[in-house]
Amino acid sequence: MERFARLVTRRSVARVIVGAVAVLAAVSLQLSLQVEHDDDLLAFLPKGNAEVETFYGVNKRFGGLDLALVGLETEDVFAPDFVRALGATTRRLEELEGLAHVVSLSNVEDFSPDAEGGIVAGRLVDKIPPSLEERDALARRVLSRDQVVGNLVSEDGKAALIYCALAAGEDPRLMAGKVREAVRQELPATRLIEGGNPFISASIYDTTQRDMRTLTPWSVAVIVLILVVAFRNLLGSCLALVSTGVGILSALGAMSAAGESFNIVLGSMPVILFAIGSAYSIHILARYYAQPPGRDPAESVVETLVSVGPTVVAAGLTTIAGFASFLLMDIEPLQTFGRYTAIGIFVTLVLALTFIPAVIVLLDLKPREEAPETASELWGGLARWAQRRSAWVAGGLAVVICVTSLWVGRVDSRMDPKS
């Protein structure tokens, strides 16, 4: 480790490291902007499973896997204005590119016996009722069809349902937006109730992205606050954040280069990398700032890497192995999550051991003039207290283990799309 430390603290090598990191960040940023998004919930089905393959085979032959359901609430489904609007909506959806077929009250077929003993086929709703009597007759005819009531119209006649089957290979989230827009154009004042895989996928994806946009700034702010309080040095705090940010961009850039899509699980990856990846830079900077003041920065960096470097490497490799274990699962989105989170952790680990020391040497950052005594006294006192009462500490830990072990078997593991 000492030979490595003296290598990265050479000014010529430090310049190469900083330049390489700048190029890596620029390329990764460009690639990360090209990452496509995949919000298909069915991607979480295990690959290679015989039942799953049969499931996909049935859908490929007969369709119906991606079904967008649009519920319409109104005072009277059989009112002329609603029947007219429902017909216009159905026709607009039938013309929408990306839908294989559309079924509603307006186009569902009906079969009835004729006077000569044959069967008459036609539309269940063949015209807009011009009078109250014909409206009542239409309602009686529709509500007498068991296959329609509860599927296309509610029993009380106050809700209707439109089935929109997506064509094979269409983007569920994109098509969900198109279906919603088409229905809204014809029925702007009607309350819509959306269901089916396309709307569920779109809802989960949009909600996840909205939550991440809210959570990420707060997580970054908390990390910055901790760094500033711990180091009392804004430049050092920014240095830790920059190395972590490059790690996140590298993971996203690697995804783009490999043609991987950004799935629902990966929505949490940036926050996880901020929380975990920043730890390695923090360890290096914390030990560096604890070096005696007035010492040459290069020598302080060497001492820092020699003392804490092996521990940081061990911690990083353990974390990488933990995320890499996701590759053993048979669920592809979780494999993707483990693979690229491990890559992000690896990059942040390497940057903590190379980029951070290089910048310290090039900017000639000085250790703190005074070491913070409060934190050292606090944790030192806690350690001494634990040593003096080791039996009590061990006993308390044993009690916690015994109590919590009683509840381990009650953890429920299930897949519930509604959640």
Side-chain angles (χ1 to χ4, degrees), residues 12 49 63 66 86 90 100 122 153 160 180 201 225 238 258 272 308 311 355 369:
S12 57
N49 182 283
D66 283 326
L86 180 60
T90 303
V153 64
R180 181 188 298 115
S201 298
L225 179 62
C238 293
I272 290 176
V308 80
T311 305
F355 177 68
E369 294 296 327

Side-chain angles (χ1 to χ4, degrees), residues 202-218:
S203 176
I204 291 177
Y205 177 82
D206 293 340
T207 301
T208 302
Q209 293 302 303
R210 184 171 59 251
D211 289 348
M212 287 301 103
R213 284 193 295 269
T214 302
L215 179 60
T216 301
W218 281 102

Side-chain angles (χ1 to χ4, degrees), residues 56-86:
Y56 278 114
V58 170
N59 175 69
K60 186 175 181 180
R61 294 182 64 184
F62 302 106
L65 181 59
D66 283 326
L67 198 61
L69 308 176
V70 183
L72 307 169
E73 279 193 348
T74 182
E75 289 297 322
D76 183 8
V77 167
F78 306 106
D81 289 342
F82 184 81
V83 173
R84 183 182 298 106
L86 180 60

